[in-house]
């Protein structure tokens, strides 16, 4: 079929795109020539200096080399990296100032200035211009201050475009959508376009950037001028807390690159699954900025502070006690009163202080056994640290250090993103804050309805938030959920016993599938997974259960279905996967099947309600509930 579009607006945009691509190529050619000419000239100067026998001439040539090196075009002629998709938005204005008049701007992920000094693409992070695109709709009147001047006018155009591999593929213009489908261009009524649609098209279900979908509220948070202190972002599932945090840091790095260099910024995720989920988007937005879990960062920070490589062991019966907020003040007291050079000996000695033992063993049970074990560890200089010890050891090392900053560990980072802050202990949060420089610049996202870790006291986050007042806190709330359909968010509100959240998308599907027994439920589940994966082979369906033992059983029951991921593997290629509830916080799937959410597995405790809330709000299109026993509270 002929791809020549019958629509004038598409023809004009294709021509504009072709002209832009030609300008990008010509600019790149001229830049290469300038760099090559400079390198040739510098090589000639170096050869002259080498051949010269006069020290005066050598000194003169050295000065020329230094002077010309400062004007090396390679230092200021930045290459344009987004040639395959140079822009995603178009905004037109008609300004009241006749000298400005009618203009159109193309908004992209990277700005582009041509060889003849024309700004052909505006970086989305250049807020004074991109605000026209994000804050206004077609026909709106605007009043903005740009470069110190008041600007008034009307928005005459606001279109979203999709360009892939240098080809225009989609345009949203007002109420119309023009799409390249089946080899030809078609015109359809405008429909809601979500990140899930992008993931399906890309056949990659990791987090995607939202630069073309940012709402005015999100844009305000992303481009906020405050750079010192803490920005606390709260909101329900799917409201965009994580992506707003990542895009905010991208803005900081763009607008103040000398301060917010990648090596002085850090992104901390809840677990490895969420880290892997955001990694592609974070690489696009933040370059080489480190994205990791708290535990992984804590291990490297301890090494930076002590020179020791720690290999923690899994499993600690005292995890909840070692996460206690009471240890924060006790650590400060211990450091004031006791001196110990060797870090791990310091840790064992801290645990052995009477006032620490009182905090760990309130009723005295197990105290003597623990103390005997500590004495043994101290005498043999034990290296056996558990993951529960990491935050205590890191905070202890930070308090002992008197000569900061220490790279990646203390007084170092210009900015840190902390995701899912409600599931971090007070010591962990304090260690993160101590790792920032004097500006204490942090973006912290949290949602109390998604706290799922039993060993972290719910009061810890509230206490830390109160303590943050000393460094300054800006509170921001995202009130619209863009992930889940209306039906699913209504169910989530029932589970959490809170008011239903505002939903920014169209309706989806929520269905219950009841079986007579477990055998029938497994048969239902298999048919459902086969149906969903065959209907759309680009989609990703997640089967979520509560127990690890159920995960293995379900994977066996689904064996042989095309596209089924390997057992224990949570990746984001199309197909189907089986996972447990505690692994899915922060991620999303097109389809979710919640298997056997019964009242015994999900009790009426706050943590179980939160976990159930997390499970149902992972679905961006449809949620199916397969069961045969009594459903958990809120689901029935």
């Amino acid at each position: 079929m002929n791809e020549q579009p019958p629509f004038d607006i598409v023809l004009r945009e294709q021509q504009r795109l072709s002209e832009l691509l030609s300008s990008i190529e010509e600019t790149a050619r001229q830049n290469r020539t300038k760099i090559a000419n400079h390198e040739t000239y510098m090589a000639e100067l170096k050869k002259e200096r080498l051949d010269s026998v006069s020290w005066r001439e050598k000194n003169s040539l050295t000065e020329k080399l230094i002077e010309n090196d400062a004007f090396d075009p390679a230092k200021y002629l930045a290459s344009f990296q987004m040639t395959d998709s140079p822009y995603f938005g178009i905004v037109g204005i008609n300004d009241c100032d006749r000298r400005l008049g009618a203009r159109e701007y193309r908004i992209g992920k990277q700005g582009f200035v041509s060889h003849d000094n024309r700004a052909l693409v505006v970086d989305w992070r250049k807020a004074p211009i991109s605000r026209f695109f994000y804050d206004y709709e077609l026909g709106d009147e605007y009043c903005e201050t740009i470069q110190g001047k008041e600007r008034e006018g009307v928005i005459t155009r606001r279109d979203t475009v999709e360009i892939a591999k240098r080809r225009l593929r989609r345009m949203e213009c007002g109420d119309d959508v023009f799409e390249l489908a089946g080899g030809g261009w078609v015109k359809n009524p405008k429909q809601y376009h979500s990140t899930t649609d992008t993931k399906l098209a890309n056949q990659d279900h990791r987090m995607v950037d939202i630069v073309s979908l940012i709402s005015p509220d999100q844009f305000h948070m992303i481009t906020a001028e405050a750079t010192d202190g803490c920005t606390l972002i709260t909101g329900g599932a799917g409201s965009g807390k994580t992506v707003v945090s990542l895009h905010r840091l991208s803005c900081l790095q763009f607008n103040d690159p000398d301060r917010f260099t990648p090596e002085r910024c850090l992104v901390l995720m809840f677990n490895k699954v969420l880290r892997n989920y955001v990694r592609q988007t974070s690489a696009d937005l933040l370059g080489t900025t480190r994205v990791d879990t708290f535990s992984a960062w804590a291990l490297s920070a301890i090494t930076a502070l002590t020179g020791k490589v720690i290999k923690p062991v899994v499993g600690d019966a005292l995890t909840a006690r070692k996460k206690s907020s009471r240890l924060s003040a006790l650590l400060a007291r211990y450091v004031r009163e006791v001196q110990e050079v060797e870090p791990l000996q310091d840790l064992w000695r801290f645990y052995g202080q009477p006032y620490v033992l009182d905090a760990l063993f309130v009723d005295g049970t197990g105290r003597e056994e623990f103390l005997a074990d500590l004495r043994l560890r101290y005498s043999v200089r034990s290296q056996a640290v558990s993951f529960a010890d990491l935050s205590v050891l890191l905070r202890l090392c930070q308090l002992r250090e008197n000569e900061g900053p220490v790279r990646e560990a203390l007084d170092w980072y210009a900015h840190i993103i902390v995701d899912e802050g409600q599931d971090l202990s007070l010591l962990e949060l304090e260690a993160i804050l101590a790792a920032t420089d004097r500006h204490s610049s942090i973006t912290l996202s949290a949602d109390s309805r998604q706290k799922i870790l039993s060993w972290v006291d719910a009061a810890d986050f509230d206490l830390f938030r109160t303590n943050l007042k000393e460094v300054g806190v800006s509170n921001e709330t995202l009130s619209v959920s863009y992930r889940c359909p209306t039906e699913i968010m209504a169910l989530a509100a029932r589970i959490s016993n809170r008011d239903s959240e505002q939903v920014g998308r169209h309706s989806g599907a929520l269905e219950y599938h009841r079986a007579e027994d477990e055998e029938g439920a497994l048969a239902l589940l298999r048919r459902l997974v086969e149906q969903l994966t065959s209907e759309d082979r680009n989609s990703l369906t997640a089967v979520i259960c509560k127990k690890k033992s159920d995960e293995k059983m379900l994977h066996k029951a689904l064996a042989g279905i095309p596209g089924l991921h390997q057992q224990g593997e949570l990746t984001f290629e199309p197909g189907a996967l089986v996972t447990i509830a505690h692994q899915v916080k922060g991620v999303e799937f097109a389809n979710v099947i919640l298997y056997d959410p019964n009242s015994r597995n999900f009790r009426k405790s706050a943590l179980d309600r939160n976990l159930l809330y997390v499970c149902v709000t992972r679905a961006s299109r449809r949620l199916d509930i397969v069961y045969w026993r009594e459903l958990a509270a809120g689901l029935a």
Side-chain angles (χ1 to χ4, degrees):
M1 187 179 294
N2 187 3
E3 287 190 12
Q4 185 70 15
F7 310 108
D8 289 342
I9 190 170
V10 177
L11 281 168
R12 288 195 299 270
E13 199 56 42
Q14 284 183 327
Q15 181 61 34
R16 283 161 55 99
L17 174 60
S18 177
E19 292 171 357
L20 173 63
L21 292 173
S22 296
S23 181
I24 291 171
E25 291 174 1
E26 176 60 21
T27 301
R29 187 192 67 78
Q30 292 195 21
N31 287 350
R32 288 193 299 269
T33 300
K34 290 177 183 178
I35 293 170
N37 290 342
H38 177 80
E39 290 174 347
T40 299
Y41 178 62
M42 292 291 282
E44 290 172 353
L45 287 178
K46 290 177 182 178
K47 186 176 185 304
E48 283 184 48
R49 186 177 63 175
L50 184 64
D51 294 342
S52 176
V53 294
S54 166
W55 65 267
R56 286 190 178 90
E57 187 179 17
K58 283 182 179 289
N59 286 345
S60 175
L61 289 167
T62 299
E63 289 177 1
K64 281 187 178 181
L65 283 166
I66 295 172
E67 180 182 346
N68 280 277
D69 183 66
F71 296 98
D72 183 355
K75 295 180 178 179
Y76 61 86
L77 294 176
S79 62
F80 188 71
Q81 304 294 325
M82 304 305 299
T83 307
D84 282 350
S85 181
Y87 60 99
F88 58 81
I90 307 164
V91 62
I93 64 170
N94 189 1
D95 200 87
C96 294
D97 187 336
R98 292 183 178 179
R99 291 170 297 180
L100 195 62
R103 295 197 178 188
E104 287 188 357
Y105 301 98
R106 282 173 281 195
I107 311 298
K109 297 177 184 178
Q110 181 185 2
F112 172 69
V113 178
S114 66
H115 59 281
D116 51 358
N117 206 33
R118 291 179 297 150
L120 298 182
V121 181
V122 177
D123 194 297
W124 71 272
R125 294 164 293 191
K126 201 173 182 63
I129 300 299
S130 61
R131 184 174 289 114
F132 289 134
F133 179 78
Y134 289 115
D135 274 1
Y136 297 95
E137 296 294 337
L138 181 65
D140 284 354
E141 295 182 352
Y142 65 82
C143 182
E144 295 286 346
T145 302
I146 300 177
Q147 295 181 342
K149 295 182 179 180
E150 294 292 329
R151 297 291 188 190
E152 295 183 19
V154 178
I155 302 298
T156 58
R157 184 179 183 185
R158 191 196 178 283
D159 298 343
T160 301
V161 301
E162 183 180 314
I163 301 169
K165 296 181 179 180
R166 307 187 182 197
R167 294 174 62 204
L168 183 66
R169 303 194 64 84
R170 189 174 188 272
M171 292 185 67
E172 286 189 15
C173 311
D175 293 330
D176 297 321
V177 175
F178 302 91
E179 293 181 285
L180 186 60
W185 282 89
V186 296
K187 177 181 177 181
N188 296 310
K190 184 175 180 179
Q191 294 181 341
Y192 180 84
H193 189 77
S194 70
T195 55
T196 301
D197 298 313
T198 304
K199 293 174 182 179
L200 290 169
N202 294 342
Q203 298 183 41
D204 185 344
H205 290 264
R206 290 175 295 181
M207 176 186 283
V208 297
D209 66 59
I210 60 167
V211 288
S212 64
L213 303 172
I214 294 171
S215 70
D217 286 345
Q218 292 172 333
F219 184 72
H220 165 74
M221 296 181 196
I222 289 168
T223 58
E225 294 183 359
T227 59
D228 293 1
C230 176
T231 298
L232 174 60
I233 300 176
T234 56
S239 59
K241 298 183 296 299
T242 303
V243 289
V244 165
S245 298
L246 294 173
H247 286 71
R248 171 169 163 71
L249 179 52
S250 180
C251 261
L252 294 176
Q253 292 181 336
F254 175 80
N255 290 301
D256 194 349
D258 292 335
R259 175 180 169 187
F260 298 102
T261 58
E263 62 268 20
R264 284 190 174 266
C265 295
L266 175 67
V267 179
L268 294 178
M269 291 286 125
F270 174 68
N271 57 20
K272 291 180 180 179
V273 172
L274 186 52
R275 179 196 65 188
N276 296 339
Y277 178 68
V278 307
R279 211 164 232 176
Q280 182 60 49
T281 296
S282 65
D284 292 342
L285 289 170
L286 309 175
T288 58
T289 299
R290 181 178 180 181
V291 179
D292 226 324
T293 63
F294 173 83
S295 295
W297 167 71
L299 286 169
S300 62
I302 291 169
T303 300
L305 287 161
T306 67
K308 291 184 174 294
V309 177
I310 304 296
K311 295 182 179 180
V313 297
V314 178
D316 190 328
L318 297 179
T319 293
R321 302 182 196 187
K322 290 179 179 178
K323 299 281 187 181
S324 170
S325 59
R326 298 180 63 187
L327 296 190
S328 174
L330 300 183
L331 272 170
R333 173 183 172 182
Y334 170 75
V335 170
R336 289 193 304 268
E337 297 177 351
V338 180
Q339 294 297 319
E340 175 65 61
V341 176
E342 209 285 322
L344 292 182
Q345 296 293 84
D346 207 10
L347 179 66
W348 311 139
R349 197 169 174 183
F350 166 70
Y351 283 144
Q353 299 301 305
Y355 50 84
V356 178
L357 292 169
D358 289 342
L360 293 175
F361 301 94
V362 177
D363 62 358
T365 304
R367 174 174 177 145
E368 292 306 315
E369 293 86 346
F370 178 70
L371 184 57
D373 180 63
L374 284 177
R375 288 169 177 158
L376 176 61
R377 288 175 184 242
Y378 192 84
S379 65
V380 300
R381 306 181 75 84
S382 172
Q383 305 288 306
V385 175
S386 73
F387 277 98
D389 293 319
L390 289 184
S391 56
V392 183
L393 179 58
L394 174 55
R395 195 70 193 106
L396 180 56
C397 293
Q398 287 176 330
L399 291 170
R400 288 288 190 200
E401 180 58 51
N402 297 317
E403 298 181 2
V406 176
R407 185 181 181 89
E408 299 182 348
L410 182 67
D411 301 329
W412 173 259
Y413 289 105
H415 192 83
I416 298 179
I417 289 176
V418 184
D419 199 52
E420 305 290 356
Q422 74 281 345
D423 273 310
L424 290 174
S425 70
L426 180 62
L427 278 179
E428 290 167 333
L429 292 166
E430 288 179 341
I432 293 167
L433 183 61
T436 62
D437 63 20
R438 61 186 178 84
H439 298 285
S440 303
S441 182
I442 288 180
T443 299
L444 177 60
S445 66
D447 178 14
S448 60
R449 279 175 289 191
Q450 297 188 65
K451 183 191 177 302
I452 62 174
L453 298 184
S454 59
W455 55 82
V456 175
D457 191 334
D460 280 17
F461 184 75
D462 293 332
L463 180 58
F464 181 70
R465 183 165 52 182
T466 301
N467 295 342
L468 279 175
K469 292 179 180 179
E470 297 179 10
V471 301
V473 183
S474 173
N475 293 290
E476 304 284 357
T477 302
L478 292 166
S479 57
V480 180
S481 174
Y482 294 94
R483 176 191 300 146
C484 302
T486 305
E487 298 89 339
I488 295 175
M489 288 311 297
L491 175 62
R494 199 162 71 232
I495 291 168
S496 63
N497 290 325
R498 299 190 186 182
D499 293 337
S500 184
E501 297 166 53
Q502 186 178 349
V503 179
R505 63 156 297 164
H506 58 75
S507 62
L510 168 62
E511 294 186 11
Y512 289 79
H513 308 266
R514 181 172 184 174
E516 292 299 321
D517 52 28
E518 183 177 16
E519 183 179 353
L522 291 173
L524 268 174
L525 175 66
R526 186 177 181 92
R527 288 197 298 270
L528 192 54
V529 173
E530 288 175 334
Q531 174 191 332
L532 293 174
T533 53
S534 63
E535 285 178 351
D536 188 346
R537 298 191 182 279
N538 291 339
S539 67
L540 178 58
T541 298
V543 179
I544 303 175
C545 57
K546 176 72 181 291
K547 297 178 180 179
K548 194 73 177 175
S549 57
D550 284 344
E551 180 186 15
K552 296 178 181 179
M553 179 267 294
L554 292 176
H555 198 276
K556 184 177 180 180
L558 298 175
I561 294 180
L564 181 66
H565 293 194
Q566 293 183 6
Q567 183 177 326
E569 178 182 78
L570 207 168
T571 57
F572 299 97
E573 295 81 21
L577 59 86
V578 181
T579 188
I580 58 172
H582 281 88
Q583 288 291 324
V584 298
K585 189 164 66 163
V587 303
E588 67 178 41
F589 310 95
N591 311 310
V592 167
I593 303 174
L594 189 55
Y595 180 79
D596 189 27
N598 62 76
S599 57
R600 287 192 298 174
N601 287 346
F602 292 93
R603 303 180 187 276
K604 294 183 179 180
S605 69
L607 285 179
D608 275 347
R609 281 202 313 272
N610 290 351
L611 188 58
L612 198 55
Y613 174 91
V614 167
C615 290
V616 301
T617 55
R618 299 311 95 193
S620 60
R621 287 199 166 179
R622 66 174 292 147
L623 171 66
D624 291 275
I625 299 173
V626 176
Y627 70 105
W628 79 93
R629 293 185 279 193
E630 180 186 5
L631 286 169
L635 289 179

